[in-house]
Amino acid sequence: MSEILKCIINDEEIEALVDPDMRLVDFLRERMQLTGTKIGCKKGECGACTIIMDGKAVNSCMVPVMRASGSVIQTIEGVEKNGRLHIIQEEFINKGAIQCGFCTPGMIMSSKALLDKNPSPTSDEVKEALGGNICRCTGYRKIEEAVLSAAKRLREEV
Amino acid sequence: MESYVGKNIPRNDGYDKATGRGKFTHDIFLPHMLYAKVLRSPYAHAKVTSIDTSEAEKLKGVRAVCTFENTTNKLFNTSASVVTTNPGAEPVRDQTVFTGEPKYIGDEIAAVAADTEKIAEEAVKLIKVEYEELPYVLDPLEALKDDAPDVQPELAHKKNICGEVIEINFGDVKEGFEEAEEVVEAFVKLPRVKQAQMETHAAVASYKGDGTLEVYSTTQTPHPTKMIIAYTFDLPESKVHVKNPPYVGGGFGVRIGISGKAEIIATALTLKAKRPVKYVYTREEDFIASDTRHGGYLKGRLGAKKDGTFVALDTTAWLNTGAYATFGVELLGVCGACGTAGTYHVPNLHYSGYPVYTNQQTAGAFRGFGTPQGTFIVETLVDAMAKKLGMDPIELRKMNTMREEDKNWFPFSVGSVGINECLDRAAEEIGWKEKRGKCKEGKIRRGVGIACGTHVSNAAPFCVDYNAVTLRIEQDGSMVVQSGIPEIGPGSTTALLQVTADEMGIDFDKITMQYGDTKAGPFDIGSHATRTLYTVSQVIDKAAKKLKADIFDYTAELMKMEREGMKLEGGVITSGEKSISIKALAYEAHLRGKQFIVSECLVPPNSLPWYAQAAEVEVDMETGMVKVLKVAAAHDVGKVVNPRLAEGQIEGGVIQGVGYACREEMTYVDNKGFYNNGFHKYMLPTADDVPEIVPILVESNDPKGIYGIKGIGEVGVCPTAPAIVSAVEDATGIRFYEIPMTPGRVLKAIKEKEKA
């Protein structure tokens, strides 16, 4: 049985016929071809599938697709605007916060959800916001550095 | 001229990875593609007495069912060792694609390709299998006993020995111990730990009726993977195309060769279905059915003179290689060579390494490749000797570390040695003099510790190791580097372009690299063994010299310029008063039917990177919690090409070492298999657990690598655990001979000490 899903993804209104058994992450990756959102465990344990849903960072692998009805979703593909990187993305590149890159979209979405709400996070607040995102390459220090540096730049821009 | 080597150039894949536009194997969706699921053994050792796939085949949407009955049973090995074993020696081939006699919980029996993952999963459940359970053995020391069950009765060298027992002899160890005035001994137990790279093993294989096979893969070694697939299925290597898409979500050694069995299973299914097949390991499969770091036991004896001079070292390792070899033999070699024989100048040493078959999942390559295990036993012994002699552990180390002029066990010269500088700088950064050995009291106790060692910068001459590259100048003077080397995360392809830009005198942003693809470049042995930057930079150097010579010869003739003293800098060729841009020259050459293009191939020398890490910890005597506060990580990696990328390698390695020392452990439950089937049951460090890490780059000028470059990829993890163990001993007075130092283990040791 299929149901109709209506939501906003990366500023665009979406209407799609979906299998309600599907997880949101599969809808994004397979139906919307938004493969920037990654799957690391499909059990809500690694954060690779983090998206921003109604202002909050969520593991899209844990969201039954119909739970996205009426919600506003941003994926990593919606962060870059018109070929221009977001400051968080720039700082991830500049500060060496990216290695294999598989956790990166999730890390950036968790970071963005934090900075959208809290423009001046402390180091501990950054660590807490990234607590659900596993990175096995970097040792996290350069990621934290990138988020704090992006926060600073974003504040200066305002 | 501007130099790129030594600068923090942002990585060339940063944009792709920060925007989610870069593709990984998980992201490949091909038209008409099928999805695979695998049936795995629930028994540690059994014989399949009957298998019935008829119900599975009848399920709508099922397109192929492969089992050990209808798939080749040619013996192979999932690790690249099968195609990198030196001439004269036989590689171990002890695996088949599927098996009718599973040897560990998780072993592959059959696989299904279907229209959707859900159908494939359903079909796997419909395969009826009857098993006869057989005796099994789980522990390497148990497996060596005469009455233990045989894991590989036809292939084992002797009782459950995989390949051979590795022996290293230098000097006369018996005489050495007779000469010794003090002797210390130790026995340690080390855990299995998991690479836990973020992208699980995956492959998309597509076989077409014209006999060509295309495989997208998470491998760290596209060319060897191509060779293994072609060998197993009797296909011409020229018809097998293996590529990363181009990104690989981490590796840390776990996919040197095949990624688990992803490529080989996807290939078996696509050969049958004649449609593309995607096989992505679940996180559980990745945890319980692919290589881990080797756990096991090591013992050692160290003999020294009263003044601290080491005279004899005898070590033995019994490591659990699991049901199949993968890298079992080679890893025991590196454990001995780098871990036990590499760091100190000991005139008499002996090492025996036993790769032991058991009925558990395979252990194979994981960052460090045996060096962490060997370093752990040796550094345990050195600390014990310092205690016995009443010497400062750093002073004792410094008087015994390898020197450039020392003859060592390796079949190549020692090269530049920055290990004592590493020891000094790590000690200074951690505050060794003020903190070590100070009286500790109260609930929370702090301590500092240190450990040091060495590794290699590639696998030569122990294994086949070489690269080839093609360099070409485009018609507008920009440049393309073609290499089969993958980018598994370190930023090697960025650092290699920095080297290329300097070598050629062409701007960094005018050079592109094609990589991670067997069709992108000629043969390349892959990204492993701390080798990528060290070895590929050397073959690029060789090719660039030839390419420049070709450009200069052509320019001299066409432009009537003096060949002698001709230079290419900043994209401009000059000689005397005359000059021409490479852009103009390349186009002029094009108009005359000439492209500048060069291929070169090189067997690299080998260089030893050195390191010392000092750790500071805090131990809660009531909860047993060990908190690592700081790690000062000093590394002699020769010339640093990109400091920020180099720091990233060290920081990432250190955190894996912190996990190894304090948290991570694969725990086996009898009749069920490994308990750790997901992240929630495997304690990886998270952002919250990260200590202060201070990477210290010591740039000794190595005579062998170009610009003095040495390897860096694996070394960050090697000394971290023994440094932390040493710090915990400093804090608590308790030496741990088993890791990880979990709160339960630490508390138990504290209580035992209080009782005593």
Side-chain angles (χ1 to χ4, degrees):
Chain A
M1 210 185 74
S2 295
E3 290 188 45
I4 294 170
L5 170 72
K6 284 185 189 177
C7 61
I8 293 172
I9 300 178
N10 298 332
D11 302 327
E12 225 171 280
E13 283 181 28
I14 302 293
E15 195 176 316
L17 210 55
V18 298
D19 170 359
D21 273 354
M22 203 176 206
R23 299 296 171 104
L24 179 57
V25 69
D26 292 324
F27 176 74
L28 293 172
R29 286 175 52 82
E30 293 179 23
R31 291 284 299 282
M32 301 301 295
Q33 298 179 6
L34 296 169
T35 52
T37 302
K38 304 300 179 198
I39 296 173
C41 67
K42 225 162 179 192
K43 288 187 173 171
E45 295 163 3
C46 77
C49 65
T50 306
I51 56 162
I52 300 178
M53 189 166 149
D54 298 327
K56 279 191 193 139
V58 299
N59 285 322
S60 60
C61 75
M62 298 305 284
V63 181
V65 67
M66 288 309 291
R67 281 266 305 280
S69 283
S71 63
V72 177
I73 289 170
Q74 190 178 38
T75 71
I76 188 69
E77 288 87 352
V79 176
E80 177 196 18
K81 301 278 183 210
N82 299 324
R84 270 200 61 201
L85 293 178
H86 189 280
I87 283 174
I88 299 174
Q89 293 172 311
E90 284 180 356
E91 288 307 292
F92 264 67
I93 297 171
N94 293 339
K95 293 290 184 282
I98 299 172
Q99 284 191 31
C100 87
F102 201 80
C103 77
T104 307
M107 284 283 180
I108 288 175
M109 298 317 285
S110 288
S111 306
K112 186 165 185 297
L114 170 72
L115 299 188
D116 284 350
K117 284 212 169 111
N118 178 359
S120 311
T122 63
S123 193
D124 281 345
E125 285 167 337
V126 172
K127 281 181 190 161
E128 200 192 324
L130 301 179
N133 292 77
I134 295 175
C135 168
R136 190 58 158 165
C137 294
T138 63
Y140 300 101
R141 297 182 52 82
K142 288 184 165 25
I143 296 176
E144 187 192 323
E145 199 188 324
V147 179
L148 290 171
S149 171
K152 187 163 173 278
R153 276 186 61 197
L154 285 164
R155 287 197 303 272
E156 283 163 4
E157 212 174 57
V158 174
Chain B
M1 187 189 82
E2 193 190 0
S3 171
Y4 294 97
V5 169
K7 291 218 170 77
N8 284 328
I9 306 284
R11 45 189 309 147
N12 55 3
D13 54 6
Y15 175 88
D16 267 3
K17 289 177 174 177
T19 55
R21 287 173 74 165
K23 280 210 177 332
F24 294 80
T25 304
H26 283 203
D27 304 330
I28 301 298
F29 293 90
L30 298 180
H32 219 40
M33 188 176 84
L34 304 172
Y35 296 81
K37 285 284 173 190
V38 170
L39 176 68
R40 297 180 178 279
S41 169
Y43 299 110
H45 190 193
K47 196 169 173 44
V48 175
T49 52
S50 76
I51 182 162
D52 178 1
T53 58
S54 55
E55 291 299 315
E57 278 161 38
K58 272 185 235 158
L59 189 70
K60 192 170 182 293
V62 170
R63 307 294 172 172
V65 180
C66 286
T67 72
F68 59 90
E69 287 183 335
N70 66 3
T71 307
T72 175
N73 280 312
K74 196 169 174 183
L75 288 167
F76 73 107
N77 180 334
T78 54
S79 85
S81 68
V82 72
V83 295
T84 61
T85 302
N86 277 338
E90 262 306 297
V92 179
R93 294 188 182 95
D94 59 1
Q95 283 172 283
T96 51
V97 183
F98 303 104
T99 181
E101 191 188 319
K103 296 182 189 304
Y104 76 95
I105 294 177
D107 215 347
E108 294 84 1
I109 311 291
V112 174
D115 292 351
T116 67
E117 256 187 325
K118 220 167 157 181
I119 298 170
E121 217 169 285
E122 195 56 40
V124 162
K125 288 183 195 148
L126 293 174
I127 301 175
K128 292 192 196 91
V129 188
E130 281 172 26
Y131 298 91
E132 177 197 330
E133 285 186 69
L134 296 172
Y136 57 87
V137 61
L138 304 171
D139 180 85
L141 294 180
E142 291 296 319
L144 293 177
K145 291 180 180 163
D146 288 339
D147 58 349
D150 289 298
V151 180
Q152 293 273 10
E154 282 142 41
L155 297 162
H157 169 66
K158 51 188 181 189
K159 189 71 187 185
N160 284 327
I161 296 295
C162 162
E164 58 181 316
V165 178
I166 306 292
E167 296 285 347
I168 291 176
N169 282 294
F170 188 73
D172 186 324
V173 80
K174 195 162 166 273
E175 270 178 26
F177 277 109
E178 280 165 13
E179 213 186 301
E181 290 165 344
E182 294 288 358
V183 175
V184 292
E185 296 186 12
F187 183 86
V188 299
K189 185 181 177 198
L190 300 177
R192 255 181 202 269
V193 288
K194 196 77 190 89
Q195 296 84 351
Q197 77 295 340
M198 289 310 295
E199 187 185 22
T200 60
H201 297 307
V204 182
S206 177
Y207 180 73
K208 290 188 291 186
D210 63 0
T212 57
L213 175 71
E214 184 180 49
V215 185
Y216 290 89
S217 139
T218 49
T219 183
Q220 296 176 226
T221 57
H223 281 274
T225 296
K226 170 194 74 181
M227 293 173 75
I228 296 169
I229 295 170
Y231 170 84
T232 307
F233 295 101
D234 291 313
L235 298 165
E237 286 178 20
S238 63
K239 303 278 185 194
V240 180
H241 178 193
V242 175
K243 60 180 162 189
N244 303 137
Y247 301 119
V248 180
F252 314 116
V254 74
R255 30 214 188 195
I256 305 171
I258 305 290
S259 311
K261 273 189 184 169
E263 296 87 343
I264 221 95
I265 289 172
T267 298
L269 289 165
T270 189
L271 284 170
K272 200 156 196 297
K274 308 284 190 297
R275 282 171 61 175
V277 176
K278 182 176 192 173
Y279 179 32
V280 176
Y281 275 47
T282 62
R283 180 57 63 183
E284 176 170 6
E285 288 180 298
D286 199 290
F287 261 106
I288 62 119
S290 71
D291 284 0
T292 64
R293 189 186 295 291
H294 283 70
Y297 308 91
L298 296 98
K299 74 165 184 183
R301 288 174 78 210
L302 174 65
K305 293 283 198 189
K306 285 230 181 292
D307 69 355
T309 310
F310 295 166
V311 289
L313 173 64
D314 191 1
T315 50
T316 307
W318 300 271
L319 300 185
N320 188 340
T321 201
Y324 303 102
T326 75
F327 274 115
V329 189
E330 294 76 10
L331 189 130
L332 268 292
V334 174
C335 177
C338 302
T340 74
T343 309
Y344 300 102
H345 179 68
V346 191
N348 306 290
L349 72 92
H350 170 255
Y351 162 85
S352 296
Y354 292 78
V356 188
Y357 280 129
T358 66
N359 291 107
Q360 287 189 338
Q361 87 190 75
T362 55
F366 182 1
R367 198 179 212 164
F369 200 83
T371 294
Q373 293 94 325
T375 303
F376 195 94
I377 183 69
V378 169
E379 292 299 272
T380 299
L381 292 166
V382 172
D383 270 6
M385 184 59 82
K387 211 170 171 181
K388 196 153 194 184
L389 294 169
M391 284 179 75
D392 177 75
I394 294 181
E395 290 313 311
L396 179 64
R397 282 178 168 84
K398 278 168 64 182
M399 66 183 283
N400 285 291
T401 44
M402 203 72 77
R403 291 157 303 191
E404 289 181 25
E405 65 278 15
D406 282 336
K407 222 180 103 48
N408 68 355
W409 175 84
F410 288 104
F412 49 84
S413 64
V414 175
S416 69
V417 186
I419 191 168
N420 284 1
E421 189 181 339
C422 289
L423 281 162
D424 284 339
R425 289 180 65 183
E428 195 190 339
E429 178 61 42
I430 211 78
W432 184 265
K433 280 196 183 123
E434 308 84 70
K435 293 174 183 167
R436 176 77 179 189
K438 297 293 178 282
C439 181
K440 316 288 153 102
E441 280 177 354
K443 177 177 177 285
I444 305 288
R445 298 185 189 177
R446 284 192 176 192
V448 294
I450 202 158
C452 61
T454 187
H455 195 57
V456 282
S457 295
N458 66 87
F462 308 109
C463 293
V464 176
D465 191 303
Y466 67 102
N467 299 89
V469 293
T470 298
L471 308 183
R472 68 168 202 260
I473 303 292
E474 299 290 71
Q475 284 63 29
D476 67 350
S478 61
M479 184 177 171
V480 179
V481 179
Q482 294 179 298
S483 157
I485 201 85
E487 172 61 70
I488 63 168
S492 323
T493 54
T494 303
L496 285 168
L497 287 190
Q498 290 176 252
V499 171
T500 308
D502 277 13
E503 287 289 305
M504 286 302 299
I506 292 177
D507 290 345
F508 179 85
D509 57 13
K510 296 271 173 22
I511 312 175
T512 293
M513 190 162 176
Q514 286 179 286
Y515 55 86
D517 186 329
T518 56
K519 280 192 178 167
F523 187 82
D524 177 283
I525 207 97
S527 186
H528 63 90
T530 301
R531 67 182 302 284
T532 309
L533 176 59
Y534 176 81
T535 64
V536 183
S537 65
Q538 292 179 45
V539 69
I540 286 176
D541 169 64
K542 188 179 175 191
K545 287 196 166 80
K546 204 167 152 189
L547 184 64
K548 278 210 293 198
D550 186 25
I551 292 168
F552 290 167
D553 288 346
Y554 191 84
T555 307
E557 199 178 317
L558 183 72
M559 304 307 296
K560 307 282 178 271
M561 283 164 65
E562 183 62 45
R563 173 69 173 80
E564 187 72 26
M566 191 175 281
K567 286 184 302 192
L568 171 50
E569 284 175 356
V572 179
I573 303 160
T574 52
S575 181
E577 299 291 299
K578 287 185 166 178
S579 70
I580 182 170
S581 70
I582 183 80
K583 185 175 180 178
L585 179 85
Y587 195 68
E588 288 301 325
H590 158 71
L591 295 176
R592 290 161 180 81
K594 162 84 178 169
Q595 178 166 31
F596 302 105
I597 182 162
V598 159
S599 284
E600 270 299 342
C601 185
L602 182 84
V603 179
N606 211 328
S607 297
L608 302 171
W610 303 91
Y611 48 79
Q613 290 182 7
E616 182 170 20
V617 302
E618 200 172 75
V619 183
D620 185 324
M621 301 299 280
E622 283 175 11
T623 63
M625 183 68 86
V626 174
K627 189 172 167 58
V628 181
L629 302 173
K630 179 172 176 173
V631 177
H635 287 260
D636 165 20
V637 292
K639 176 68 187 172
V640 175
V641 176
N642 186 317
R644 188 169 291 129
L645 293 176
E647 284 170 15
Q649 284 306 289
I650 291 170
E651 289 172 11
V654 166
I655 284 297
Q656 289 176 349
V658 170
Y660 193 39
C662 301
R663 301 170 66 104
E664 295 178 37
E665 182 172 29
M666 301 277 289
T667 310
Y668 194 86
V669 183
D670 201 10
N671 295 318
K672 285 189 174 161
F674 280 100
Y675 163 80
N676 323 79
N677 59 5
F679 288 130
H680 66 304
K681 291 182 182 170
Y682 187 79
M683 294 294 109
L684 283 173
T686 67
D688 240 358
D689 308 305
V690 179
E692 182 185 356
I693 302 171
V694 182
I696 300 163
L697 298 167
V698 173
E699 296 183 85
S700 75
N701 186 17
D702 191 72
K704 290 180 261 184
I706 64 153
Y707 303 112
I709 293 168
K710 296 200 265 193
I712 187 169
E714 295 176 274
V715 290
V717 74
C718 294
T720 316
I724 293 170
V725 170
S726 172
V728 169
E729 183 182 23
D730 187 46
T732 63
I734 302 166
R735 184 81 194 188
F736 282 84
Y737 297 94
E738 184 179 359
I739 52 169
M741 294 177 290
T742 54
R745 230 169 240 150
V746 173
L747 208 54
K748 190 165 161 246
I750 290 170
K751 280 184 182 158
E752 274 166 15
K753 192 185 176 219
E754 278 168 1
K755 258 189 227 160

